[in-house]
Amino acid sequence: MNDFTHDYVRIHQQRLHCVIAGSGKPVLLIPGWPQTWYAWRHVMAALADAGYQAIAIDPPGSGHSDRPAGGYDTGAVAATLHQAMLALGHAQYDVVGHDIGMWVGYALASDFPQAVTKLALTEAVIPGLAPAPPIFVAPADNIFLWHFMFNQVPDLPEMLTAGREREYIRFIFDKWSYRRDQVAVDVYAEAYATAGALRAGFAYYRAIPETIRQNLERAKTPLAMPVLAIGAEYATNDAPLLTMQGKADDLQGAIVADCGHFIMEEQPAAFIGHLLPFLAGASA
């Protein structure tokens, strides 16, 4: 952590926070909900040691980045992150995305194929690429799905979580992690208890209809760069790989055992063991 540098860039009148480690080919790391750049700390150290420059970013609305009123569809967010990478001096870079970061990573690779040289995606399905799940599912499945509808409802989530933001976030980590002791739950609970943070997080879900519309168009052109899709045994499993089948010409897949949704923290060594060979160009 002592070798991590915090920086800020201003894109479209909003401030974005990023943390940088190492030097070499840049790798953009995009966290999901409800996490921040901090979810990548283990991966960042490994990338830096392997000769890469790791750039973990707080996407709009999260962590120490600004919380704009709108612009949370994945096309808008991807464009903002690409401009941030250009501002940092990188016209080409690899991308790794987790959870909603997987949604944004796909949009970034599809919308800016000249910039994204490799794409690693983990622990999500992508709206518009994967079929929508049914409403009536078993409780074990519903625990990973209920928030999609709740978070999209206007106003009600803010009203019910006001003053209880930490409890709401901790519930998510309690239910979605398999190795909860490995996850920095309190860091994220504090981050999402700050003013406007949950509202901004909900905005990504409220933008799903627009993201789906965009992805139906993106899916018409498969990604040409190498793509790695990684799932966790006790979370999405093979769903990331299935989501990307037919959407990428050069697709590899992996599943990390004994792991829940927060894969970069729960099983960092196993995750890094798949990621580094992929970025180096070897088979995953």
Side-chain angles (χ1 to χ4, degrees):
M1 296 289 285
N2 291 334
D3 296 327
F4 290 8
T5 301
H6 293 254
D7 200 355
Y8 292 87
V9 292
R10 186 166 291 275
I11 307 296
H12 307 313
Q13 304 305 310
Q14 64 174 294
R15 184 186 65 169
L16 290 175
H17 171 243
C18 56
V19 183
I20 302 170
S23 60
K25 184 175 182 181
V27 182
L28 175 62
L29 306 169
I30 311 172
W33 183 85
Q35 291 180 293
T36 67
W37 77 268
Y38 193 69
W40 296 106
R41 62 196 182 280
H42 304 306
V43 176
M44 292 177 70
L47 287 171
D49 288 344
Y52 295 90
Q53 183 175 78
I55 303 170
I57 197 161
D58 282 330
S62 69
H64 295 297
S65 292
D66 286 347
R67 315 198 197 291
Y72 291 94
D73 60 89
T74 58
V77 176
T80 297
L81 297 193
H82 177 61
Q83 290 299 315
M85 291 299 284
L86 292 178
L88 292 170
H90 304 303
Q92 288 192 314
Y93 46 89
D94 295 336
V95 173
V96 188
H98 173 261
D99 187 78
I100 286 179
M102 176 169 163
W103 306 358
V104 176
Y106 170 71
L108 192 53
S110 182
D111 295 356
F112 302 95
Q114 77 286 354
V116 178
T117 47
K118 286 191 178 72
L119 177 66
L121 303 172
T122 184
E123 271 305 294
V125 294
I126 298 177
L129 300 190
I135 294 176
F136 302 110
V137 297
D141 295 326
N142 189 54
I143 199 64
F144 289 102
L145 298 174
W146 65 273
H147 69 291
F148 278 95
M149 289 183 286
F150 177 80
N151 288 0
Q152 289 186 70
V153 177
D155 303 326
L156 181 65
E158 287 91 333
M159 180 176 66
L160 294 180
T161 58
R164 297 177 175 270
E165 295 90 351
R166 293 173 182 84
E167 289 79 4
Y168 180 60
I169 295 302
R170 289 187 181 112
F171 177 87
I172 297 294
F173 285 99
D174 287 346
K175 301 301 181 182
W176 293 358
S177 58
Y178 184 72
R179 297 174 175 268
R180 188 186 185 280
D181 61 301
Q182 299 298 310
V183 184
V185 176
D186 288 342
V187 171
Y188 310 124
E190 289 301 313
Y192 280 89
T194 59
L198 272 182
R199 184 269 307 167
F202 296 148
Y204 281 88
Y205 291 87
R206 291 167 183 163
I208 284 176
E210 172 60 17
T211 291
I212 289 175
R213 185 195 68 77
Q214 296 170 7
N215 283 343
L216 292 176
E217 290 300 312
R218 293 183 181 112
K220 295 176 181 178
T221 305
L223 300 179
M225 74 286 293
V227 177
L228 171 64
I230 305 177
E233 180 181 10
Y234 297 117
T236 61
N237 203 275
D238 63 351
L241 177 62
L242 295 177
T243 297
M244 293 306 299
Q245 284 183 345
K247 310 303 186 300
D249 292 333
D250 183 357
L251 177 63
Q252 306 171 34
I255 298 174
V256 171
D258 296 323
C259 188
H261 179 62
F262 305 102
I263 189 169
M264 303 93 67
E265 294 180 278
E266 295 188 52
Q267 291 281 19
F271 181 78
I272 292 164
H274 291 294
L275 180 63
L276 286 181
F278 169 73
L279 296 181
S283 171

